[in-house]
Amino acid sequence: MVSTEPTTHDAIVVGAGFAGLYAVHVLRDRRHMQVIGFDAAGDVGGTWYWNRYPGARVDIESVHYSYSFDDELQQEWHWTERFPAQAEILSYLEHVADRYDLRRSFRFNTRVVSLTWDDTDAMWTATTSAGTTHRARFVISGAGTLSVPKEPEFPGVEDFAGEVLMTGNWPHHEVSFEGKRVGIIGVGSSGIQAISEIAKTAGHLTVLQRTPNYATPIGNYPTRPDEEAAEKADYRAIRDASRNHFLGVPYSEVQPSALAVSPEERRRVFDDRWNRGGFRLFIDSFGDILFDKAANDTVASYIRERIRERVHDPAKAELLAPEGYPYGTKRPPLETDYYEAYNRPNVDLVDVKGNPIAAVTPTGVRLADGTEHDFDMLILATGFDACTGPLLAMNITGRGGLRLADHWADGPQTYLGLMAAGFPNLFMITGPQSPSVLYNMPLAIEDHVDFTVAALDHLRERGLDVIEPEPSAEAAWVAHTNELAEATLLPDSPTSWYMGNNIPGKPRRVLVYLGGAPAYRAKCDEVVAAGYEGFTLSSASRVFA
Ligand code: NA7
């Protein structure tokens, strides 16, 4: 049968997570563009499709971590918990897909394997894993920031006789841990969430920990009807407050400096934020903890103290209490009863920092000193090739055959974290060097998609069809994002996906914009007000200054 599906489109959208769904809705339903979307997954959901390991949960209250673009949607949806689990967020995205009839614009189980710009007619060509080819003037990537799991770096992993599971690509079938000897590598956010749950049913759980983390309580609870009603009555103000906050949440109690207050007042603030949960300790306690080592030391030692209170075995407590790097320079995990898991008789903690994992064997894991740990199941919670990985995985080639991989050989180069010089009409939603993961993601996504759509409107109104950053504007943005990072403690982290150095061989460069969402939005507004300053706008054949 010959396919009658068009292969030339106005826009190609990559991904059916928060970004791709919103992009398709706006471009197709509000701008009446002919749009096609692709996702490697079997359905919508993005992050929340893949990361379905036990305990997977959002770390920002979902009344905030949700779309704001349609008041009816935010009024009608009911979250059952303050910080819902993966299944509920996936249901929400499925509801969004149904509500706006979005699935019909997507091809699922279809990965974009290359994207190539053609200078002669100013069109992108996408090839897909389904063997199809599609052309479009514009590409909107909603490929995600944490969607390419880190390759297992343990020799022998393919020879393990039991099951190997990855938190970032968890099976869809029910996984039972009953009576099994389970090993888990990694104590980032994913590992910490998974350990807390798996410990409850595993026959035996062994946690292989390299760097202990500063995990703090999430403070989850079932939705309180009065709180929900009050929020829905004032949703617009809450969204405005969120957009005007560094992290995109309406927290408003940050004090300037941990060093400017008495030890008693500091303790009071830390206790209060610890007890109230979320990212309050990190972002709504003292404004200098990410910038001043002495200020950071106060919160780091507070967290260590709280960890030691919760873990009964002093030897385990010592291993779990992080030392030697500042709090917040690795993405701070949030937890429920994580430290208490180590008080269970079926949970062991093994330090693999001094004695690293040498290999996976058919029966388990062998450490450098020859010690063997036998498992029936091995779980890799070892993280992601963050921010740049999802874009580089698409084999993108821009003007004059310039490969994105070469352009970014020394780290990402973008203008506003949204576009790269030499890659016209390619919009990277929550791309590297934008606030992305340091800004409540659904709002960061809406802002980026809205910026993109406004730029397309601007082009169309002027009879133009190509937009790209000037190399000088890109260079200035890269320098600016690096300077912002240098002013923080982030470069002091031993390994952090914020800095790209969790992946062997990846350039150590900051991957997020650290000036905060309000400063970023102000900069974007300035660029637009100045007629898309720093961008070159052109028609397919003629370049306008
Ligand atoms: P993370 O935060 O990057 O955590 C990965 C964990 O895996 C971390 O504890 C790593 O230790 C550990 N790891 C990675 N490679 C190894 C090797 N070779 N040996 C031992 N341990 C290793 O990923 P997550 O998936 O937990 O979280 C990612 C984000 O998703 C999270 O921040 C949220 O934004 C959602 P290390 O610290 O490098 O010593």
Side-chain angles (χ1 to χ4, degrees):
M1 201 173 83
V2 178
S3 168
T4 54
E5 183 177 85
T7 54
T8 301
H9 320 270
D10 295 326
I12 289 170
V13 171
V14 183
F18 270 97
L21 291 177
Y22 181 55
V24 164
H25 170 58
V26 178
L27 295 173
R28 189 193 69 184
D29 300 338
R30 294 197 197 150
R31 290 299 181 275
H32 310 293
M33 290 171 69
Q34 205 280 317
V35 179
I36 189 162
F38 298 101
D39 200 305
D43 198 2
V44 300
T47 288
W48 302 104
Y49 177 93
W50 297 106
N51 289 268
R52 46 180 83 213
Y53 58 86
R57 189 174 290 284
V58 65
D59 283 344
I60 287 182
E61 295 89 333
S62 271
V63 63
H64 311 310
Y65 183 95
S66 50
Y67 289 119
S68 71
F69 68 85
D70 184 339
D71 190 47
E72 277 182 22
L73 170 67
Q74 63 185 10
Q75 291 295 336
E76 75 194 8
W77 185 261
H78 165 69
W79 298 105
T80 65
E81 293 180 274
R82 198 69 185 150
F83 297 89
Q86 169 269 338
E88 188 165 343
I89 306 164
L90 186 57
S91 299
Y92 168 76
L93 290 169
E94 288 167 354
H95 167 74
V96 168
D98 290 341
R99 197 182 194 288
Y100 303 96
D101 191 17
L102 299 173
R103 282 191 181 87
R104 70 180 159 88
S105 293
F106 281 96
R107 301 294 166 267
F108 294 104
N109 301 306
T110 309
R111 185 179 287 283
V112 172
V113 294
S114 74
L115 274 170
T116 308
W117 173 258
D118 186 340
D119 276 320
T120 56
D121 60 357
M123 295 285 280
W124 282 102
T125 300
T127 60
T128 73
S129 56
T132 56
T133 299
H134 300 262
R135 308 195 82 220
R137 176 124 306 146
F138 301 102
V139 174
I140 288 87
S141 169
T145 49
L146 294 155
S147 52
V148 175
K150 178 174 158 174
E151 290 286 328
E153 52 188 339
F154 310 107
V157 74
E158 58 290 338
D159 299 327
F160 181 62
E163 237 181 322
V164 179
L165 303 178
M166 295 179 87
T167 49
N169 187 1
W170 195 261
H172 285 226
H173 60 79
E174 196 63 37
V175 177
S176 169
F177 309 99
E178 301 272 348
K180 292 198 178 131
R181 296 165 304 165
V182 181
I184 182 165
I185 304 173
V187 291
S189 297
S190 307
I192 282 174
Q193 290 183 333
I195 289 161
S196 312
E197 277 305 304
I198 296 170
K200 293 176 186 168
T201 59
H204 195 90
L205 177 64
T206 303
V207 178
L208 300 149
Q209 170 188 275
R210 189 163 65 184
T211 312
N213 232 316
Y214 292 95
T216 63
I218 190 167
N220 190 26
Y221 53 85
T223 298
R224 296 173 185 147
D226 54 336
E227 194 173 20
E228 183 183 18
E231 283 163 348
K232 286 188 172 175
D234 209 15
Y235 227 139
R236 180 187 284 261
I238 289 173
R239 298 299 197 175
D240 286 348
S242 294
R243 284 197 154 84
N244 286 313
H245 182 275
F246 186 99
L247 192 74
V249 284
Y251 299 165
S252 59
E253 294 172 64
V254 68
Q255 299 187 25
S257 171
L259 304 176
V261 297
S262 66
E264 296 73 29
E265 170 60 6
R266 200 159 54 223
R267 175 78 197 203
R268 189 196 65 73
V269 170
F270 288 157
D271 282 344
D272 174 76
R273 307 302 191 266
W274 174 278
N275 292 334
R276 285 160 65 203
F279 284 122
R280 284 186 179 80
L281 187 68
F282 176 44
I283 215 77
D284 203 34
S285 59
F286 295 102
D288 56 352
I289 61 177
L290 208 51
F291 297 90
D292 183 317
K293 178 68 169 54
N296 195 285
D297 286 345
T298 66
V299 68
S301 73
Y302 172 82
I303 297 171
R304 282 193 288 273
E305 191 184 320
R306 301 303 306 260
I307 293 170
R308 290 187 183 113
E309 282 167 16
R310 292 170 62 183
V311 181
H312 299 162
D313 175 350
K316 279 184 181 169
E318 262 339 281
L319 274 180
L320 287 164
E323 296 273 4
Y325 72 94
Y327 167 61
T329 57
K330 287 164 106 59
R331 198 283 210 170
L334 301 184
E335 52 81 32
T336 303
D337 295 338
Y338 170 63
Y339 293 106
E340 286 71 16
Y342 293 94
N343 297 333
R344 291 174 173 269
N346 64 330
V347 178
D348 276 340
L349 178 62
V350 173
D351 173 24
V352 297
K353 193 176 203 85
N355 186 17
I357 297 167
V360 174
T361 67
T363 55
V365 163
R366 188 174 59 244
L367 305 185
D369 72 354
T371 316
E372 306 249 356
H373 293 274
D374 286 348
F375 304 124
D376 303 309
M377 180 187 280
L378 183 61
I379 299 174
L380 303 179
T382 44
F384 296 89
D385 184 354
C387 301
T388 51
L391 289 151
L392 292 172
M394 287 191 284
N395 294 310
I396 300 174
T397 306
R399 275 200 193 284
L402 176 64
R403 292 171 63 239
L404 190 66
D406 292 331
H407 189 50
W408 286 3
D410 295 327
Q413 315 236 41
T414 73
Y415 182 41
L416 302 177
L418 185 65
M419 299 194 83
F423 300 84
N425 292 357
L426 169 65
F427 297 89
M428 302 176 286
I429 304 305
T430 63
Q433 296 164 339
S434 77
S436 68
V437 291
L438 283 178
Y439 180 19
N440 179 2
M441 273 304 223
L443 301 190
I445 283 165
E446 287 180 340
D447 288 0
H448 258 186
V449 171
D450 291 348
F451 184 100
T452 299
V453 173
L456 300 193
D457 290 348
H458 184 85
L459 287 176
R460 198 178 49 247
E461 285 156 13
R462 283 156 187 76
L464 306 176
D465 46 22
V466 180
I467 178 168
E468 59 199 296
E470 292 163 9
S472 59
E474 179 179 271
W477 186 254
V478 173
H480 176 53
T481 54
N482 288 337
E483 261 167 40
L484 287 170
E486 288 303 324
T488 73
L489 301 173
L490 243 69
D492 296 358
S493 174
T495 58
S496 169
W497 58 260
Y498 285 158
M499 295 297 299
N501 60 351
N502 63 323
I503 302 290
K506 185 166 174 170
R508 187 186 181 112
R509 292 279 182 281
V510 69
L511 297 172
V512 284
Y513 172 83
L514 279 152
Y520 177 78
R521 284 176 50 241
K523 172 67 184 171
C524 289
D525 291 348
E526 266 172 40
V527 165
V528 172
Y532 289 86
E533 187 176 35
F535 288 103
T536 300
L537 313 179
S538 62
S539 78
S541 56
R542 199 158 72 86
V543 176
F544 293 78

